[in-house]
Amino acid sequence: MQVGWPRRPLTKVQTALANSFLTSGLYLHHPSHDSQKSDQLIGLARATSDHVFNATIWDVLVDPAYQGQGLGKALVEQMVRTLLQRDITNITLFADANVVEFYQQLGFQAEPEGIRGMFWYPNL
């Protein structure tokens, strides 16, 4: 799926998905004449969590051919709904500058109450 994601090794992506607390996918179903179903992944989101208090939504992706139809919004809203149903109420995410407004329209706040994200990167 081409969505501006950095190039990542497939084995690491598989491990990240397997170790996620919650994943959600959007599939386009293509009926087949020979009883074989053909489903195309067109959207994905995942969350990590401590399973009690906190969760972080990661990697909200929608295939560019299907963007602008509310699918990203539906993915995020479903993730939030599911996390709230599990009584996880501290929900965070990281957003590139060009999509901050998108997440703000879904109720996320940039730096609420002066809280700042902190990052540690190895010196390469």
Side-chain angles (χ1 to χ4, degrees):
M1 188 182 313
Q2 299 293 324
V3 292
W5 225 21
R7 191 88 176 132
R8 296 176 172 169
L10 183 57
T11 56
K12 286 190 171 190
V13 171
Q14 291 169 330
T15 301
L17 289 170
N19 290 322
S20 295
F21 174 70
L22 179 65
T23 59
S24 184
L26 291 172
Y27 294 87
L28 182 62
H29 177 69
H30 298 284
S32 177
H33 300 293
D34 60 2
S35 75
Q36 294 288 332
K37 292 182 181 176
S38 177
D39 293 333
Q40 175 187 354
L41 179 66
I42 61 169
L44 171 75
R46 70 184 188 97
T48 54
S49 177
D50 62 12
H51 297 229
V52 181
F53 301 110
N54 306 293
T56 300
I57 297 173
W58 301 93
D59 304 327
V60 178
L61 312 168
V62 175
D63 186 311
Y66 299 95
Q67 290 177 0
Q69 300 178 42
L71 299 177
K73 177 182 177 185
L75 274 170
V76 173
E77 289 176 341
Q78 178 61 43
M79 297 291 283
V80 169
R81 220 175 7 258
T82 301
L83 292 166
L84 292 174
Q85 288 170 352
R86 296 179 184 188
D87 202 27
I88 297 171
T89 57
N90 185 24
I91 303 169
T92 60
L93 61 77
F94 293 93
D96 290 337
N98 61 327
V99 292
V100 167
E101 186 177 322
F102 168 77
Y103 291 111
Q104 286 175 326
Q105 291 173 1
L106 297 175
F108 286 88
Q109 301 173 35
E111 300 179 5
E113 301 173 22
I115 296 171
R116 301 262 182 173
M118 303 292 289
F119 301 86
W120 180 90
Y121 294 106
N123 294 326
L124 301 176

